[in-house]
Amino acid sequence: MGRRAKRKQGEPEPLLIKPKVDSRTPKSSEEKISNGKKRKLVDITAGNRETERNASKKVKSASNGKILEKESMQKQKKTVTEPSNTSNSKIRKKEVKNVSDQSTFSDHLVFNKNTSNDTFYSFYNLETIDDENSLLSDSDSSLPKFNDEEEDGDALQLLDDDSDDGNSELDIEEKSRILDEEKKKEAELADAELQTNIERMEKFNLPNNQEEDEQNLAPDLQVINQRIQDIVGVLNNFKKLGDENRGRSAYVEQLIKDMAVYYGYSEFLLEKLFHLFSVSEAIEFFEASEISRPVTIRTNTLRTRRRDLAQALINRGVNLEPIGKWTKVGLTIFDSSIPIGATPEYLAGHYMLQSASSFLPIMALAPRENEKILDMASAPGGKTTYIAALMKNTGIIFANDASKERTKGLISNIHRLGVKNVVVSNYDGRLFPSVTGGFDRVLLDAPCSGTGIISKDPAVKINKTEKDFMVLPHLQKELILAAIDSVDARSSTGGYIVYSTCSVTVDENEEVVNYALKKRPNVKLVSTGLDFGQEGFTKYRGKVFHPSLKLTKRYYPHVHNMDGFFVSKFKKFSNTFAQNNDDDKQKTELKKEENN
């Protein structure tokens, strides 16, 4: 645009506009005219042509890349009226060519020769001007005039473009909403398909005889473990996943076989323990039995307090904490830099290494001072010394054990812990009360199979047979009858018998207690006074026991994080009862078995 635009033939001469320095000259690019209309002049110097181009680009970006003036001039041709220089001026029309590039833009600029600087005036966006109030001179009458209707059309076109932009934004929002709905539907379909696949999942097939034989030769524990999990899943949802032709019993049978191999049990013992729980809980029990229980100690209150003992052990590098709120004398040992069974405090008798579960029968017995108490199976002395501590070395305790070898450890612990009210005896517990009787309370922690302490003695897994579960319950039944007979029902403070075992089988617990209730109608079950623990069975695999057996307590390693234990408490309310002939027959049979 540095050069003048060449005038085409037939076009009017460029208009020369002399800027007037007058009070009437507008100071801004817009000034109101008398008729209320506006005229807009854009002053562009020759040196600011690049600025004009940048302004044009800004207009493009502001209107989403559209040049509003360009579109307006492309869509319609403007009619320009050119007045004649003669008195009888004639009006002729001329079609203005569309402005398609920057070179055409120069045709609408006028050069002023009278000024020192080259000054150009652009008439695009020029609004209608009244001739009477025009600031231009008469010589400027040759300027083209734009039609108002055409200008209004341009304005409407601009509004239409803005509305198009708004509509485009609405279209984007609508499309976004549709996409979100489609994604949501796809996710729902995927979930439905996944659920369908789960429901149509191939059912687990039990291995055949040939596969079992091959696996027995070289068992793969990983394969067996996976099959255990699969069978547990089938048994938990047998209606959908089970094979009705095989039946539930076939899956249970296979599960017992696999678990016996995986955990190292005899099939007989594992089956006996398995039926105590639901399928999932049985897995938890066997897993917990593989883990050692925390080491626990009992504070000997005859020599120290738990707080002082804990502080002394902490000073020696022992990490410990109280067992729980249910006991005031127990401590759990997590780790120790020294052997916990060889500390000066241990040798001084300040504590006893004792499992937390063995606290429970003493708490249920609740001995009182100055009472006469019998511990029928007392070795190695943890329970006996706990009773002595609760009695504060008053009264008298008969600590009996059938094994002479075990009484040595019993005597050692009695002396170490400073117990002074204990008499140690070595009798068969079944001989009581003929040896001595009239006790206020009797504790019978009966010999058992040890199925609750498998974590301590893994040999139980394979060395307990069906014969053991016939002999042991028989012995336990005899001992509990002797314990009941040894108690004096007329005791002002007592008349209680506590029966406990470190076993979880029904044969050694509920069946023995139920037998005692039948054979000794002068006793009844009472609450153990223990705040936690699961209730004993009143029904088990077709066997129905006395309803009061719900007062007994069961403890499991996977539930209470302690050794498996059973605790029951009787109250003897009479020293006499109607003797049955069955008792005499049973005693005769027992003597025959002993002689054989």
Side-chain angles (χ1 to χ4, degrees):
M1 294 181 63
R3 68 179 188 276
R4 295 183 182 180
K6 293 183 179 180
R7 182 168 56 87
K8 295 183 179 180
Q9 187 176 3
E11 290 183 354
E13 267 189 45
L15 300 178
L16 299 179
I17 301 175
K18 298 179 180 180
K20 298 180 180 180
V21 180
D22 192 25
S23 60
R24 295 181 303 171
T25 303
K27 296 181 181 180
S28 63
S29 59
E30 290 184 8
E31 183 175 349
K32 292 185 179 180
I33 311 300
S34 59
N35 60 357
K37 296 184 180 180
K38 296 180 181 180
R39 177 181 181 182
K40 183 177 181 180
L41 300 178
V42 181
D43 186 9
I44 305 173
T45 61
N48 293 335
R49 295 171 185 173
E50 189 64 26
T51 305
E52 178 62 17
R53 293 191 186 98
N54 295 335
S56 177
K57 291 180 181 178
K58 291 181 180 180
V59 172
K60 291 181 182 180
S61 62
S63 60
N64 294 328
K66 297 179 181 180
I67 304 176
L68 302 180
E69 293 82 7
K70 179 179 177 180
E71 290 182 355
S72 176
M73 296 181 69
Q74 284 179 345
K75 291 182 180 179
Q76 56 181 335
K77 295 182 180 180
K78 297 180 181 180
T79 305
V80 181
T81 304
E82 180 178 333
S84 175
N85 293 329
T86 59
S87 59
N88 296 327
S89 61
K90 295 181 180 180
I91 300 173
R92 61 187 181 91
K93 296 181 179 179
K94 180 180 181 179
E95 293 181 356
V96 179
K97 296 182 180 180
N98 295 338
V99 180
S100 58
D101 53 14
Q102 188 66 26
S103 62
T104 311
F105 179 80
S106 63
D107 294 338
H108 298 275
L109 301 177
V110 181
F111 178 72
N112 185 5
K113 297 180 180 179
N114 297 329
T115 58
S116 59
N117 297 327
D118 293 341
T119 303
F120 290 82
Y121 294 94
S122 173
F123 288 93
Y124 74 99
N125 280 341
L126 187 65
E127 296 184 359
T128 311
I129 303 173
D130 192 351
D131 288 306
E132 288 183 357
N133 299 320
S134 175
L135 296 177
L136 299 176
S137 62
D138 294 339
S139 62
D140 297 331
S141 61
S142 61
L143 284 172
K145 295 182 179 180
F146 292 157
N147 193 349
D148 289 344
E149 294 179 358
E150 293 175 354
E151 293 295 331
D152 293 340
D154 293 342
L156 292 174
Q157 182 66 30
L158 295 177
L159 294 175
D160 290 340
D161 293 339
D162 293 338
S163 63
D164 290 341
D165 294 339
N167 291 334
S168 64
E169 292 179 0
L170 294 176
D171 292 341
I172 292 173
E173 293 179 358
E174 183 67 18
K175 290 179 180 179
S176 177
R177 184 181 61 81
I178 293 173
L179 289 174
D180 292 339
E181 291 179 355
E182 290 178 354
K183 289 181 180 179
K184 185 177 180 181
K185 290 180 180 179
E186 290 177 358
E188 292 176 354
L189 292 174
D191 293 339
E193 185 177 358
L194 178 61
Q195 186 65 28
T196 303
N197 293 336
I198 293 174
E199 293 177 355
R200 296 179 179 178
M201 182 177 60
E202 184 179 358
K203 294 182 179 180
F204 171 75
N205 295 322
L206 293 172
N208 52 36
N209 295 332
Q210 183 179 358
E211 292 176 348
E212 288 184 9
D213 294 338
E214 293 177 357
Q215 292 175 0
N216 291 334
L217 293 175
D220 188 345
L221 294 182
Q222 291 184 353
V223 174
I224 293 175
N225 185 30
Q226 183 60 45
R227 189 162 62 213
I228 289 172
Q229 296 178 9
D230 293 337
I231 295 176
V232 170
V234 172
L235 292 175
N236 288 334
N237 192 8
F238 190 77
K239 291 183 179 180
K240 292 184 178 180
L241 304 178
D243 186 356
E244 297 179 355
N245 297 328
R246 298 295 297 272
R248 185 182 181 89
S249 60
Y251 287 90
V252 173
E253 183 180 354
Q254 184 62 47
L255 179 60
I256 291 174
K257 291 180 180 180
D258 290 340
M259 291 177 65
V261 174
Y262 186 76
Y263 293 107
Y265 287 75
S266 63
E267 288 188 20
F268 165 77
L269 181 59
L270 191 134
E271 182 179 2
K272 183 175 286 291
L273 297 175
F274 177 85
H275 291 296
L276 293 171
F277 313 99
S278 63
V279 176
S280 299
E281 190 177 1
I283 301 296
E284 295 178 4
F285 171 79
F286 288 110
E287 287 288 344
S289 296
E290 298 296 309
I291 303 171
S292 298
R293 304 273 74 77
V295 177
T296 56
I297 61 175
R298 177 183 58 83
T299 305
N300 180 21
T301 55
L302 295 175
R303 294 192 182 276
T304 186
R305 296 183 302 175
R306 185 172 69 169
R307 179 184 301 175
D308 299 335
L309 174 63
Q311 188 60 51
L313 293 177
I314 290 172
N315 294 337
R316 297 188 184 278
V318 180
N319 185 12
L320 53 81
E321 71 175 12
I323 291 178
K325 295 181 179 179
W326 58 271
T327 176
K328 297 180 180 179
V329 294
L331 292 170
T332 300
I333 307 297
F334 295 106
D335 58 76
S336 175
S337 58
I338 56 176
I340 199 65
T343 63
E345 287 76 16
Y346 176 82
L347 298 175
H350 289 187
Y351 63 89
M352 178 77 174
L353 282 168
Q354 190 171 351
S355 64
S357 57
S358 64
F359 294 7
L360 303 173
I362 311 304
M363 296 172 64
L365 185 65
R368 296 187 180 182
E369 297 180 19
N370 300 312
E371 286 187 337
K372 182 181 178 181
I373 296 177
L374 171 64
D375 187 356
M376 292 187 72
S378 58
K383 299 179 183 65
T384 300
T385 54
Y386 191 7
I387 295 172
L390 293 175
M391 296 174 65
K392 299 180 181 178
N393 265 339
T394 62
I396 185 170
I397 302 171
F398 283 82
N400 181 75
D401 199 274
S403 173
K404 189 173 184 178
E405 290 295 326
R406 287 169 61 87
T407 57
K408 295 179 181 179
L410 170 61
I411 295 171
S412 175
N413 285 322
I414 289 173
H415 287 297
R416 183 176 61 86
L417 297 174
V419 176
K420 302 176 181 179
N421 62 340
V422 173
V423 176
V424 178
S425 62
N426 176 220
Y427 288 98
D428 188 338
R430 292 174 289 184
L431 298 177
F432 287 89
S434 60
V435 175
T436 183
F439 295 99
D440 295 310
R441 301 170 194 261
V442 174
L443 171 65
L444 174 58
D445 187 24
C448 62
S449 61
T451 53
I453 56 172
I454 294 176
S455 60
K456 291 181 179 179
D457 185 12
V460 175
K461 295 180 180 180
I462 56 176
N463 64 9
K464 298 302 177 183
T465 62
E466 187 174 0
K467 183 179 179 180
D468 294 322
F469 287 94
M470 294 177 64
V471 174
L472 287 171
H474 184 77
L475 174 60
Q476 292 160 352
K477 290 175 182 178
E478 290 183 297
L479 290 173
I480 195 171
L481 293 180
I484 293 172
D485 294 340
S486 299
V487 172
D488 184 6
R490 294 171 297 180
S491 172
S492 60
T493 58
Y496 294 100
I497 305 99
V498 170
Y499 174 79
S500 63
T501 67
C502 56
S503 175
V504 295
T505 61
V506 175
D507 310 58
E508 302 174 86
N509 297 319
E510 282 85 355
E511 285 191 9
V512 173
V513 172
N514 193 65
Y515 173 83
L517 292 174
K518 288 181 178 179
K519 297 301 179 181
R520 296 294 184 266
N522 57 335
V523 297
K524 63 179 180 180
L525 284 174
V526 294
S527 174
T528 59
L530 302 173
D531 297 333
F532 67 104
Q534 296 185 3
E535 294 181 355
F537 292 104
T538 56
K539 296 179 181 180
Y540 178 73
R541 305 195 73 187
K543 297 179 181 180
V544 179
F545 305 127
H546 196 277
S548 62
L549 272 147
K550 65 182 181 180
L551 297 174
T552 62
K553 293 292 185 180
R554 280 180 161 268
Y555 300 90
Y556 299 111
H558 67 286
V559 177
H560 307 100
N561 194 26
M562 61 175 64
D563 294 332
F565 227 79
F566 175 83
V567 181
S568 61
K569 186 175 183 178
F570 296 87
K571 169 67 176 176
K572 187 175 181 180
F573 53 84
S574 175
N575 288 329
T576 60
F577 62 93
Q579 186 75 25
N580 294 330
N581 294 330
D582 295 340
D583 294 340
D584 297 334
K585 292 179 180 179
Q586 185 177 8
K587 288 181 180 179
T588 304
E589 292 176 358
L590 291 175
K591 289 180 180 179
K592 288 181 181 180
E593 291 179 0
E594 291 176 358
N595 295 330
N596 294 332

